[in-house]
Coordinates of all heavy atoms in Angstrom, one line a residue:
M184 N -41.3 -34.8 11.7 CA -40.1 -35.0 12.6 C -40.5 -34.6 14.0 O -41.1 -33.5 14.1 CB -38.9 -34.2 12.1 CG -37.7 -34.7 12.7 SD -36.2 -33.9 12.0 CE -36.4 -32.2 12.5
T185 N -40.2 -35.4 15.0 CA -40.5 -35.0 16.4 C -39.4 -34.1 16.9 O -38.2 -34.4 16.9 CB -40.6 -36.3 17.2 OG1 -41.5 -37.2 16.6 CG2 -41.2 -35.9 18.6
E186 N -39.8 -33.0 17.5 CA -38.9 -32.0 18.0 C -38.6 -32.4 19.5 O -39.5 -32.7 20.2 CB -39.5 -30.6 18.0 CG -38.6 -29.5 18.3 CD -39.4 -28.1 18.2 OE1 -40.6 -28.2 18.2 OE2 -38.7 -27.1 18.2
V187 N -37.4 -32.3 19.9 CA -37.1 -32.5 21.4 C -37.6 -31.3 22.1 O -37.4 -30.1 21.8 CB -35.5 -32.6 21.6 CG1 -35.2 -32.7 23.1 CG2 -35.0 -33.8 20.8
L188 N -38.4 -31.6 23.2 CA -39.0 -30.5 23.9 C -37.9 -29.7 24.7 O -37.0 -30.3 25.3 CB -40.0 -31.0 24.9 CG -41.3 -31.5 24.3 CD1 -42.4 -31.8 25.3 CD2 -41.9 -30.5 23.2
A189 N -38.0 -28.4 24.7 CA -37.1 -27.5 25.4 C -37.3 -27.6 26.9 O -38.4 -28.0 27.3 CB -37.3 -26.1 25.0
P190 N -36.3 -27.3 27.7 CA -36.5 -27.5 29.2 C -37.6 -26.6 29.7 O -38.3 -27.0 30.7 CB -35.1 -27.0 29.7 CG -34.2 -27.1 28.6 CD -34.9 -26.9 27.3
W191 N -37.9 -25.5 29.1 CA -38.9 -24.6 29.6 C -40.3 -25.1 29.2 O -41.3 -24.6 29.8 CB -38.7 -23.2 29.2 CG -38.5 -23.1 27.7 CD1 -37.3 -22.9 27.1 CD2 -39.5 -23.0 26.6 NE1 -37.5 -22.9 25.7 CE2 -38.8 -22.9 25.4 CE3 -40.9 -23.1 26.6 CZ2 -39.5 -22.9 24.2 CZ3 -41.5 -23.1 25.4 CH2 -40.8 -23.0 24.2
R192 N -40.4 -26.0 28.3 CA -41.7 -26.4 27.7 C -42.6 -27.0 28.7 O -43.8 -26.6 28.8 CB -41.4 -27.2 26.4 CG -42.6 -27.8 25.8 CD -43.5 -26.8 25.1 NE -44.3 -27.4 24.2 CZ -45.4 -28.2 24.5 NH1 -45.7 -28.3 25.8 NH2 -46.1 -28.8 23.6
P193 N -42.2 -28.1 29.4 CA -43.1 -28.7 30.4 C -43.5 -27.7 31.5 O -44.6 -27.8 32.1 CB -42.3 -29.9 31.0 CG -40.9 -29.8 30.4 CD -40.9 -28.8 29.3
I194 N -42.5 -26.8 31.9 CA -42.8 -25.8 32.9 C -44.0 -24.9 32.4 O -44.9 -24.6 33.2 CB -41.5 -25.0 33.3 CG1 -40.5 -25.9 33.8 CG2 -41.8 -23.9 34.3 CD1 -39.1 -25.3 33.9
L195 N -43.8 -24.4 31.2 CA -44.9 -23.6 30.6 C -46.2 -24.3 30.5 O -47.3 -23.8 30.8 CB -44.4 -23.1 29.2 CG -45.4 -22.2 28.5 CD1 -45.8 -21.0 29.3 CD2 -44.8 -21.8 27.2
S196 N -46.2 -25.6 30.1 CA -47.4 -26.4 30.0 C -48.1 -26.5 31.4 O -49.3 -26.4 31.5 CB -47.1 -27.8 29.5 OG -46.7 -27.7 28.1
R197 N -47.3 -26.7 32.4 CA -47.8 -26.8 33.8 C -48.5 -25.5 34.2 O -49.6 -25.5 34.8 CB -46.8 -27.2 34.8 CG -46.5 -28.8 34.9 CD -45.9 -29.2 36.2 NE -44.6 -28.5 36.4 CZ -43.5 -28.9 35.9 NH1 -43.4 -29.9 35.1 NH2 -42.4 -28.2 36.2
A198 N -47.8 -24.4 33.9 CA -48.3 -23.1 34.3 C -49.6 -22.8 33.6 O -50.6 -22.3 34.2 CB -47.3 -22.0 34.0
L199 N -49.7 -23.2 32.3 CA -50.9 -23.0 31.5 C -52.0 -23.8 32.1 O -53.2 -23.4 32.2 CB -50.7 -23.4 30.1 CG -49.9 -22.3 29.3 CD1 -49.4 -23.0 28.0 CD2 -50.8 -21.1 28.9
H200 N -51.7 -25.0 32.5 CA -52.7 -25.9 33.1 C -53.2 -25.3 34.4 O -54.4 -25.3 34.7 CB -52.2 -27.3 33.3 CG -53.2 -28.3 33.8 ND1 -54.2 -28.7 33.0 CD2 -53.3 -28.9 35.0 CE1 -55.0 -29.5 33.8 NE2 -54.4 -29.6 35.0
R201 N -52.3 -24.9 35.3 CA -52.7 -24.3 36.6 C -53.5 -23.1 36.5 O -54.4 -22.8 37.3 CB -51.4 -23.9 37.4 CG -50.7 -25.0 38.1 CD -49.8 -24.5 39.2 NE -48.9 -23.5 38.7 CZ -47.7 -23.8 38.1 NH1 -47.4 -25.0 37.9 NH2 -46.9 -22.8 37.6
N202 N -53.3 -22.3 35.4 CA -54.0 -21.0 35.2 C -55.1 -21.1 34.2 O -55.6 -20.1 33.6 CB -53.0 -20.0 34.7 CG -52.1 -19.6 35.9 OD1 -52.3 -18.6 36.5 ND2 -51.0 -20.3 36.1
R203 N -55.6 -22.4 33.9 CA -56.5 -22.6 32.8 C -57.9 -21.9 33.0 O -58.6 -21.6 32.1 CB -56.7 -24.1 32.5 CG -57.4 -24.8 33.7 CD -57.3 -26.3 33.4 NE -57.8 -27.1 34.5 CZ -57.2 -27.4 35.7 NH1 -56.0 -26.9 35.9 NH2 -57.7 -28.1 36.6
S204 N -58.2 -21.6 34.3 CA -59.5 -20.9 34.6 C -59.4 -19.4 34.4 O -60.4 -18.7 34.5 CB -60.0 -21.2 36.0 OG -59.0 -20.7 36.9
L205 N -58.2 -18.9 34.1 CA -58.0 -17.4 34.0 C -57.7 -17.1 32.5 O -56.6 -17.2 32.1 CB -56.8 -17.0 34.9 CG -56.8 -17.4 36.3 CD1 -55.5 -17.1 37.0 CD2 -57.9 -16.6 37.0
P206 N -58.7 -16.6 31.8 CA -58.5 -16.2 30.4 C -57.3 -15.3 30.2 O -56.6 -15.4 29.2 CB -59.8 -15.6 30.0 CG -60.8 -16.1 31.0 CD -60.1 -16.3 32.3
N207 N -57.1 -14.3 31.2 CA -56.0 -13.3 31.0 C -54.6 -14.0 31.0 O -53.7 -13.4 30.5 CB -56.1 -12.3 32.1 CG -57.3 -11.4 32.0 OD1 -58.1 -11.6 31.0 ND2 -57.5 -10.5 32.9
A208 N -54.6 -15.2 31.6 CA -53.3 -15.8 31.7 C -52.8 -16.4 30.4 O -51.7 -17.0 30.2 CB -53.3 -17.0 32.7
R209 N -53.7 -16.3 29.3 CA -53.3 -16.7 28.0 C -52.7 -15.5 27.2 O -52.3 -15.7 26.0 CB -54.4 -17.3 27.3 CG -54.9 -18.6 28.0 CD -56.0 -19.3 27.2 NE -55.5 -20.1 26.0 CZ -54.9 -21.3 26.0 NH1 -54.7 -21.9 27.2 NH2 -54.6 -21.8 24.9
Y210 N -52.6 -14.4 27.8 CA -52.0 -13.2 27.1 C -50.5 -13.2 27.5 O -50.1 -13.5 28.6 CB -52.5 -11.9 27.6 CG -54.0 -11.7 27.5 CD1 -54.7 -10.8 28.4 CD2 -54.7 -12.4 26.5 CE1 -56.0 -10.6 28.2 CE2 -56.1 -12.2 26.4 CZ -56.8 -11.3 27.3 OH -58.1 -11.1 27.2
F211 N -49.6 -12.9 26.5 CA -48.2 -12.7 26.8 C -47.8 -11.5 26.0 O -48.4 -11.0 25.1 CB -47.4 -13.9 26.6 CG -47.3 -14.4 25.2 CD1 -46.3 -14.0 24.4 CD2 -48.1 -15.5 24.7 CE1 -46.1 -14.4 23.1 CE2 -48.0 -16.0 23.4 CZ -47.0 -15.4 22.6
Q212 N -46.6 -11.0 26.4 CA -46.0 -9.8 25.8 C -44.9 -10.3 24.9 O -44.0 -11.1 25.3 CB -45.5 -8.8 26.8 CG -46.5 -7.9 27.4 CD -47.6 -8.7 28.2 OE1 -47.2 -9.4 29.1 NE2 -48.8 -8.5 27.9
L213 N -45.0 -9.9 23.6 CA -44.0 -10.3 22.6 C -43.2 -9.0 22.2 O -43.8 -8.1 21.6 CB -44.8 -10.8 21.4 CG -44.0 -11.1 20.1 CD1 -42.9 -12.2 20.3 CD2 -44.9 -11.4 19.0
A214 N -41.9 -9.1 22.4 CA -41.1 -8.0 22.0 C -40.3 -8.4 20.7 O -39.7 -9.5 20.7 CB -40.1 -7.6 23.1
T215 N -40.3 -7.5 19.7 CA -39.5 -7.8 18.5 C -38.6 -6.6 18.3 O -38.7 -5.6 19.1 CB -40.4 -7.9 17.3 OG1 -41.3 -6.8 17.2 CG2 -41.3 -9.2 17.4
I216 N -37.8 -6.6 17.3 CA -36.8 -5.6 17.1 C -37.1 -4.9 15.7 O -37.2 -5.6 14.7 CB -35.4 -6.1 17.1 CG1 -35.1 -6.8 18.4 CG2 -34.3 -5.0 16.8 CD1 -33.8 -7.6 18.5
N217 N -37.3 -3.6 15.8 CA -37.7 -2.9 14.5 C -36.4 -2.6 13.7 O -35.3 -2.9 14.0 CB -38.5 -1.6 14.8 CG -37.7 -0.5 15.5 OD1 -36.5 -0.5 15.5 ND2 -38.4 0.4 16.0
R218 N -36.6 -2.1 12.5 CA -35.5 -1.8 11.5 C -34.5 -0.9 12.1 O -33.3 -0.8 11.6 CB -36.1 -1.3 10.2 CG -36.7 -2.4 9.4 CD -37.1 -2.0 8.0 NE -37.6 -3.1 7.2 CZ -36.8 -3.8 6.4 NH1 -35.6 -3.5 6.3 NH2 -37.4 -4.8 5.8
Q219 N -34.9 -0.1 13.1 CA -33.9 0.9 13.7 C -33.1 0.2 14.8 O -32.3 0.8 15.5 CB -34.6 2.1 14.2 CG -35.2 3.0 13.2 CD -36.4 2.5 12.4 OE1 -37.3 1.9 13.0 NE2 -36.4 2.6 11.1
G220 N -33.4 -1.1 15.1 CA -32.8 -1.8 16.1 C -33.3 -1.6 17.5 O -32.7 -2.0 18.5
Q221 N -34.5 -1.0 17.5 CA -35.2 -0.8 18.8 C -36.2 -1.8 19.2 O -36.9 -2.4 18.3 CB -35.9 0.6 18.8 CG -34.9 1.8 18.6 CD -35.7 3.0 18.1 OE1 -36.7 2.9 17.4 NE2 -35.1 4.1 18.4
P222 N -36.3 -2.2 20.5 CA -37.3 -3.1 20.9 C -38.7 -2.5 20.8 O -38.9 -1.3 21.1 CB -37.0 -3.4 22.3 CG -36.3 -2.2 22.8 CD -35.6 -1.6 21.6
T223 N -39.7 -3.4 20.4 CA -41.1 -2.9 20.4 C -41.9 -4.1 21.0 O -41.6 -5.3 20.7 CB -41.6 -2.6 19.0 OG1 -41.6 -3.8 18.2 CG2 -40.8 -1.5 18.3
N224 N -42.9 -3.7 21.8 CA -43.5 -4.7 22.6 C -45.0 -4.6 22.5 O -45.6 -3.5 22.3 CB -43.1 -4.4 24.0 CG -43.3 -5.6 25.0 OD1 -43.6 -6.7 24.6 ND2 -43.2 -5.3 26.3
R225 N -45.7 -5.8 22.5 CA -47.2 -5.7 22.5 C -47.7 -7.0 23.1 O -47.0 -8.0 23.2 CB -47.7 -5.5 21.0 CG -47.8 -6.7 20.2 CD -46.4 -7.1 19.7 NE -45.9 -6.2 18.7 CZ -44.6 -6.1 18.4 NH1 -43.7 -6.9 18.9 NH2 -44.2 -5.3 17.5
T226 N -49.0 -7.0 23.4 CA -49.7 -8.1 24.0 C -50.3 -9.0 22.9 O -50.9 -8.4 22.0 CB -50.8 -7.6 24.9 OG1 -50.2 -6.8 25.9 CG2 -51.5 -8.8 25.6
V227 N -50.2 -10.3 23.0 CA -50.9 -11.2 22.1 C -51.5 -12.4 22.9 O -51.2 -12.5 24.1 CB -49.9 -11.7 21.0 CG1 -49.4 -10.7 20.1 CG2 -48.7 -12.4 21.7
V228 N -52.3 -13.1 22.2 CA -53.0 -14.2 22.8 C -52.3 -15.5 22.4 O -52.2 -15.8 21.2 CB -54.5 -14.3 22.5 CG1 -55.2 -15.5 23.1 CG2 -55.2 -13.0 22.8
F229 N -52.0 -16.4 23.4 CA -51.4 -17.7 23.1 C -52.5 -18.6 22.5 O -53.6 -18.7 23.1 CB -50.9 -18.3 24.4 CG -50.4 -19.7 24.3 CD1 -49.3 -20.0 23.5 CD2 -51.1 -20.7 25.0 CE1 -48.9 -21.3 23.5 CE2 -50.6 -22.0 24.9 CZ -49.5 -22.3 24.1
R230 N -52.2 -19.2 21.4 CA -53.2 -20.1 20.7 C -52.8 -21.5 20.7 O -53.3 -22.3 19.9 CB -53.4 -19.6 19.3 CG -53.8 -18.2 19.1 CD -55.3 -18.0 19.5 NE -55.6 -16.6 19.3 CZ -56.8 -16.1 19.5 NH1 -57.8 -16.9 19.8 NH2 -57.1 -14.8 19.3
G231 N -51.9 -21.9 21.6 CA -51.5 -23.3 21.7 C -50.1 -23.5 21.1 O -49.5 -22.6 20.5
F232 N -49.6 -24.7 21.2 CA -48.3 -25.1 20.7 C -48.5 -25.7 19.3 O -49.5 -26.4 19.1 CB -47.6 -26.1 21.6 CG -47.3 -25.6 22.9 CD1 -48.1 -25.9 24.0 CD2 -46.1 -24.8 23.1 CE1 -47.7 -25.5 25.3 CE2 -45.8 -24.3 24.4 CZ -46.6 -24.7 25.5
L233 N -47.6 -25.4 18.4 CA -47.7 -25.9 17.0 C -47.3 -27.4 17.0 O -46.2 -27.7 17.4 CB -46.8 -25.1 16.1 CG -46.8 -25.6 14.6 CD1 -48.2 -25.3 14.0 CD2 -45.7 -24.9 13.8
D234 N -48.3 -28.3 16.7 CA -48.0 -29.7 16.6 C -47.2 -30.2 17.8 O -46.3 -31.0 17.7 CB -47.2 -30.0 15.4 CG -48.0 -29.6 14.1 OD1 -49.2 -29.7 14.1 OD2 -47.3 -29.3 13.1
N235 N -47.6 -29.8 19.0 CA -47.0 -30.3 20.3 C -45.5 -30.0 20.3 O -44.7 -30.8 20.9 CB -47.3 -31.8 20.5 CG -47.3 -32.1 21.9 OD1 -47.5 -31.3 22.8 ND2 -46.8 -33.3 22.2
S236 N -45.0 -28.9 19.6 CA -43.6 -28.6 19.6 C -43.3 -27.5 20.6 O -44.1 -27.2 21.4 CB -43.3 -28.1 18.1 OG -43.9 -26.8 18.0
N237 N -42.1 -26.9 20.4 CA -41.7 -25.8 21.3 C -42.3 -24.5 20.7 O -42.0 -23.4 21.3 CB -40.2 -25.6 21.3 CG -39.6 -26.8 22.0 OD1 -40.1 -27.3 23.0 ND2 -38.5 -27.3 21.4
Q238 N -42.9 -24.5 19.6 CA -43.3 -23.3 18.9 C -44.7 -22.8 19.4 O -45.7 -23.6 19.4 CB -43.4 -23.5 17.4 CG -42.0 -23.9 16.9 CD -42.0 -24.0 15.4 OE1 -42.4 -23.2 14.7 NE2 -41.4 -25.1 14.9
L239 N -44.7 -21.5 19.8 CA -46.0 -20.9 20.3 C -46.7 -20.3 19.1 O -46.2 -19.7 18.3 CB -45.6 -19.8 21.2 CG -44.7 -20.1 22.4 CD1 -44.5 -18.8 23.2 CD2 -45.1 -21.2 23.2
Q240 N -48.0 -20.6 19.1 CA -48.9 -20.1 18.0 C -49.6 -18.8 18.5 O -50.2 -18.8 19.6 CB -49.9 -21.1 17.6 CG -49.3 -22.3 16.9 CD -50.4 -23.2 16.3 OE1 -50.7 -23.3 15.1 NE2 -51.1 -23.9 17.2
I241 N -49.6 -17.8 17.6 CA -50.5 -16.7 17.8 C -51.2 -16.4 16.5 O -50.8 -16.9 15.4 CB -49.7 -15.4 18.2 CG1 -48.7 -14.9 17.1 CG2 -48.9 -15.6 19.5 CD1 -48.2 -13.5 17.3
I242 N -52.3 -15.6 16.6 CA -53.0 -15.2 15.4 C -52.7 -13.7 15.2 O -52.9 -13.0 16.2 CB -54.5 -15.5 15.5 CG1 -54.7 -17.0 15.5 CG2 -55.3 -14.9 14.3 CD1 -56.2 -17.4 15.7
T243 N -52.4 -13.3 14.0 CA -52.2 -11.9 13.8 C -52.4 -11.6 12.3 O -52.6 -12.5 11.5 CB -50.8 -11.5 14.2 OG1 -50.7 -10.0 14.3 CG2 -49.7 -12.0 13.3
D244 N -52.3 -10.3 12.0 CA -52.4 -9.8 10.6 C -51.0 -9.9 10.0 O -50.1 -9.3 10.5 CB -53.0 -8.4 10.6 CG -53.3 -7.9 9.2 OD1 -52.6 -8.2 8.3 OD2 -54.3 -7.2 9.1
S245 N -50.9 -10.5 8.8 CA -49.6 -10.6 8.2 C -49.0 -9.2 7.8 O -47.8 -9.1 7.6 CB -49.7 -11.5 6.9 OG -50.6 -10.9 6.0
R246 N -49.8 -8.2 7.8 CA -49.3 -6.8 7.5 C -48.9 -6.1 8.7 O -48.4 -5.0 8.7 CB -50.5 -6.0 6.8 CG -50.9 -6.6 5.5 CD -52.2 -6.0 5.0 NE -53.2 -6.4 6.0 CZ -54.5 -6.1 5.9 NH1 -55.0 -5.4 4.8 NH2 -55.4 -6.4 6.8
S247 N -49.0 -6.8 9.9 CA -48.7 -6.0 11.2 C -47.2 -5.8 11.3 O -46.4 -6.5 10.7 CB -49.2 -6.8 12.4 OG -48.5 -8.0 12.5
E248 N -46.9 -4.8 12.1 CA -45.5 -4.4 12.3 C -44.6 -5.6 12.8 O -43.5 -5.8 12.3 CB -45.4 -3.3 13.3 CG -45.9 -1.9 12.8 CD -44.9 -1.4 11.7 OE1 -43.7 -1.7 11.8 OE2 -45.5 -0.7 10.8
K249 N -45.2 -6.4 13.7 CA -44.4 -7.5 14.3 C -43.9 -8.5 13.3 O -42.9 -9.0 13.4 CB -45.2 -8.1 15.5 CG -46.4 -8.9 15.0 CD -47.2 -9.4 16.2 CE -48.3 -8.6 16.7 NZ -49.2 -8.0 15.7
I250 N -44.8 -8.7 12.3 CA -44.4 -9.7 11.2 C -43.2 -9.1 10.4 O -42.3 -9.8 10.1 CB -45.6 -10.0 10.3 CG1 -46.7 -10.7 11.1 CG2 -45.2 -10.8 9.1 CD1 -46.3 -12.1 11.6
H251 N -43.3 -7.8 10.1 CA -42.2 -7.1 9.3 C -40.9 -7.3 10.1 O -39.8 -7.6 9.6 CB -42.5 -5.7 9.1 CG -43.7 -5.5 8.1 ND1 -43.7 -6.1 6.9 CD2 -44.8 -4.8 8.3 CE1 -44.9 -5.8 6.3 NE2 -45.6 -5.0 7.1
H252 N -41.0 -7.0 11.5 CA -39.8 -7.1 12.3 C -39.2 -8.5 12.3 O -38.0 -8.6 12.1 CB -40.2 -6.7 13.8 CG -40.7 -5.3 14.0 ND1 -41.3 -4.9 15.1 CD2 -40.8 -4.3 13.1 CE1 -41.7 -3.7 15.0 NE2 -41.4 -3.3 13.8
I253 N -40.1 -9.5 12.5 CA -39.5 -10.9 12.5 C -38.9 -11.3 11.2 O -37.9 -12.0 11.2 CB -40.7 -11.8 13.0 CG1 -41.0 -11.5 14.5 CG2 -40.3 -13.3 12.8 CD1 -42.3 -12.2 15.0
H254 N -39.5 -10.8 10.1 CA -38.9 -11.2 8.8 C -37.5 -10.5 8.7 O -36.6 -11.1 8.1 CB -39.8 -10.7 7.7 CG -40.9 -11.6 7.4 ND1 -42.1 -11.2 6.8 CD2 -41.1 -12.9 7.7 CE1 -42.9 -12.2 6.7 NE2 -42.3 -13.2 7.2
H255 N -37.4 -9.3 9.3 CA -36.1 -8.6 9.2 C -35.1 -9.1 10.2 O -33.9 -9.2 9.9 CB -36.4 -7.1 9.4 CG -35.2 -6.3 9.2 ND1 -34.6 -5.6 10.3 CD2 -34.4 -6.0 8.1 CE1 -33.6 -4.9 9.8 NE2 -33.4 -5.1 8.5
N256 N -35.6 -9.5 11.4 CA -34.7 -9.9 12.5 C -35.5 -10.9 13.3 O -36.5 -10.5 14.0 CB -34.3 -8.7 13.3 CG -33.3 -9.1 14.5 OD1 -33.2 -10.2 14.9 ND2 -32.6 -8.1 15.0
S257 N -35.1 -12.2 13.3 CA -36.0 -13.2 14.0 C -35.8 -13.2 15.5 O -36.5 -14.0 16.2 CB -35.6 -14.6 13.4 OG -34.3 -14.9 13.6
L258 N -34.9 -12.4 16.1 CA -34.8 -12.3 17.5 C -36.0 -11.7 18.1 O -36.6 -10.7 17.7 CB -33.6 -11.5 17.9 CG -32.2 -12.1 17.7 CD1 -31.1 -11.1 18.2 CD2 -32.1 -13.4 18.5
S259 N -36.5 -12.3 19.2 CA -37.6 -11.8 19.9 C -37.6 -12.3 21.4 O -36.8 -13.2 21.7 CB -39.0 -12.2 19.3 OG -39.1 -13.6 19.4
E260 N -38.4 -11.7 22.2 CA -38.5 -12.2 23.6 C -39.9 -12.0 24.1 O -40.6 -11.1 23.6 CB -37.6 -11.3 24.5 CG -37.5 -11.8 25.9 CD -36.4 -11.0 26.7 OE1 -36.6 -9.9 27.1 OE2 -35.3 -11.6 26.9
I261 N -40.3 -13.0 24.9 CA -41.7 -12.9 25.5 C -41.6 -12.8 27.0 O -40.6 -13.2 27.6 CB -42.6 -14.0 25.0 CG1 -42.2 -15.3 25.7 CG2 -42.6 -14.2 23.5 CD1 -43.2 -16.4 25.6
C262 N -42.6 -12.2 27.5 CA -42.8 -12.1 29.0 C -44.2 -12.5 29.3 O -45.2 -12.1 28.6 CB -42.5 -10.6 29.3 SG -42.6 -10.3 31.1
W263 N -44.3 -13.4 30.3 CA -45.6 -14.0 30.6 C -45.8 -14.1 32.1 O -44.9 -14.6 32.8 CB -45.6 -15.4 30.0 CG -46.9 -16.0 29.7 CD1 -48.1 -15.8 30.2 CD2 -47.1 -16.9 28.6 NE1 -49.1 -16.5 29.6 CE2 -48.5 -17.2 28.6 CE3 -46.3 -17.5 27.7 CZ2 -49.1 -18.1 27.7 CZ3 -46.9 -18.4 26.8 CH2 -48.2 -18.7 26.8
Y264 N -46.9 -13.5 32.6 CA -47.2 -13.6 34.0 C -48.3 -14.5 34.3 O -49.4 -14.4 33.7 CB -47.5 -12.2 34.5 CG -48.0 -12.2 36.0 CD1 -47.1 -12.6 37.0 CD2 -49.3 -11.8 36.3 CE1 -47.6 -12.6 38.3 CE2 -49.7 -11.9 37.6 CZ -48.9 -12.3 38.6 OH -49.3 -12.3 39.9
F265 N -48.1 -15.5 35.2 CA -49.1 -16.4 35.6 C -49.5 -16.2 37.1 O -48.6 -16.4 38.0 CB -48.6 -17.9 35.5 CG -48.4 -18.3 34.1 CD1 -47.2 -18.3 33.5 CD2 -49.5 -18.6 33.3 CE1 -47.0 -18.7 32.2 CE2 -49.4 -19.0 31.9 CZ -48.1 -19.0 31.4
P266 N -50.7 -15.7 37.4 CA -51.1 -15.4 38.7 C -51.1 -16.6 39.6 O -50.7 -16.6 40.8 CB -52.5 -14.8 38.6 CG -52.6 -14.3 37.2 CD -51.7 -15.3 36.4
Q267 N -51.5 -17.8 39.1 CA -51.5 -19.0 39.9 C -50.1 -19.7 39.8 O -49.8 -20.3 38.8 CB -52.5 -20.0 39.4 CG -54.0 -19.5 39.5 CD -54.4 -19.7 41.0 OE1 -53.7 -20.2 41.8 NE2 -55.6 -19.2 41.2
N268 N -49.3 -19.6 40.9 CA -48.0 -20.2 40.8 C -48.0 -21.5 41.5 O -49.0 -22.0 42.1 CB -46.9 -19.2 41.3 CG -47.2 -18.9 42.8 OD1 -47.7 -19.7 43.5 ND2 -46.7 -17.7 43.2
E269 N -46.9 -22.2 41.4 CA -46.7 -23.6 42.0 C -47.1 -23.6 43.5 O -47.9 -24.5 43.9 CB -45.3 -24.0 41.8 CG -45.0 -25.4 41.9 CD -45.1 -26.0 40.5 OE1 -44.4 -25.6 39.6 OE2 -45.9 -27.0 40.4
R270 N -46.6 -22.6 44.2 CA -46.9 -22.6 45.7 C -48.4 -22.5 46.0 O -48.9 -23.1 46.8 CB -46.1 -21.5 46.3 CG -46.2 -21.4 47.8 CD -45.2 -20.4 48.3 NE -43.8 -20.9 48.0 CZ -42.8 -20.7 48.8 NH1 -42.9 -20.1 49.9 NH2 -41.6 -21.1 48.4
A271 N -49.0 -21.6 45.2 CA -50.4 -21.3 45.5 C -51.3 -22.6 45.3 O -52.2 -22.8 46.0 CB -50.9 -20.2 44.6
I272 N -50.9 -23.4 44.3 CA -51.6 -24.6 44.0 C -51.3 -25.7 45.1 O -52.2 -26.4 45.4 CB -51.2 -25.1 42.6 CG1 -52.0 -24.4 41.5 CG2 -51.3 -26.6 42.4 CD1 -53.4 -24.7 41.5
S273 N -50.1 -25.8 45.6 CA -49.8 -26.9 46.4 C -50.2 -26.7 47.9 O -50.2 -27.6 48.7 CB -48.3 -27.2 46.4 OG -47.6 -26.0 46.9
H274 N -50.7 -25.5 48.2 CA -51.2 -25.3 49.6 C -52.7 -25.1 49.7 O -53.3 -24.7 48.8 CB -50.5 -24.0 50.2 CG -49.1 -24.3 50.5 ND1 -48.1 -24.1 49.6 CD2 -48.5 -24.8 51.6 CE1 -46.9 -24.5 50.1 NE2 -47.1 -24.9 51.3
Ligands
FMN68 C1 -55.5 -8.4 25.6 C2 -54.9 -8.2 24.2 C3 -54.8 -9.3 23.4 C4 -54.3 -9.1 22.1 N1 -54.1 -10.2 21.3 C5 -53.6 -10.0 20.0 C6 -53.3 -11.2 19.2 O1 -53.5 -12.3 19.6 N2 -52.8 -10.9 18.0 C7 -52.5 -9.7 17.5 O2 -52.0 -9.6 16.4 N3 -52.7 -8.6 18.3 C8 -53.2 -8.7 19.5 N4 -53.5 -7.6 20.3 C9 -53.1 -6.3 19.8 C10 -51.6 -6.1 19.9 O3 -51.2 -5.9 21.2 C11 -51.0 -5.0 19.0 O4 -51.6 -3.8 19.3 C12 -51.3 -5.3 17.5 O5 -51.1 -6.7 17.2 C13 -50.4 -4.4 16.6 O6 -49.1 -4.7 16.9 P1 -47.9 -4.4 15.9 O7 -48.3 -3.2 15.1 O8 -46.7 -4.1 16.8 O9 -47.6 -5.6 15.1 C14 -53.9 -7.8 21.6 C15 -54.1 -6.7 22.5 C16 -54.6 -6.9 23.7 C17 -54.8 -5.7 24.6

């Protein structure tokens, strides 16, 4: 089934393309919620979109804390910094 792309998806794809020469721009911060209801945050590497969908792929150990958190509470938030922004490219 083809997923409708989210409004942020082409923006993110463009940012990834603009920053393709910067390996560090593939890192993002993933915050999950632990069993005590507290946010926990860590850096992970973006491994592409799953089947050209809105879903971000990462590689991790299934025993890691983040996996336990997501099974318990699927809410999460990411934060991603791209040094090469739109303005820097167009000038
Ligand atoms: C630059 C950088 C990239 C990382 N990339 C990953 C990654 O792709 N997957 C991952 O599981 N951990 C990655 N880590 C380690 C995580 O930040 C984290 O320490 C680890 O996954 C354990 O997190 P957790 O116990 O909260 O699940 C990376 C760390 C750094 C500094």
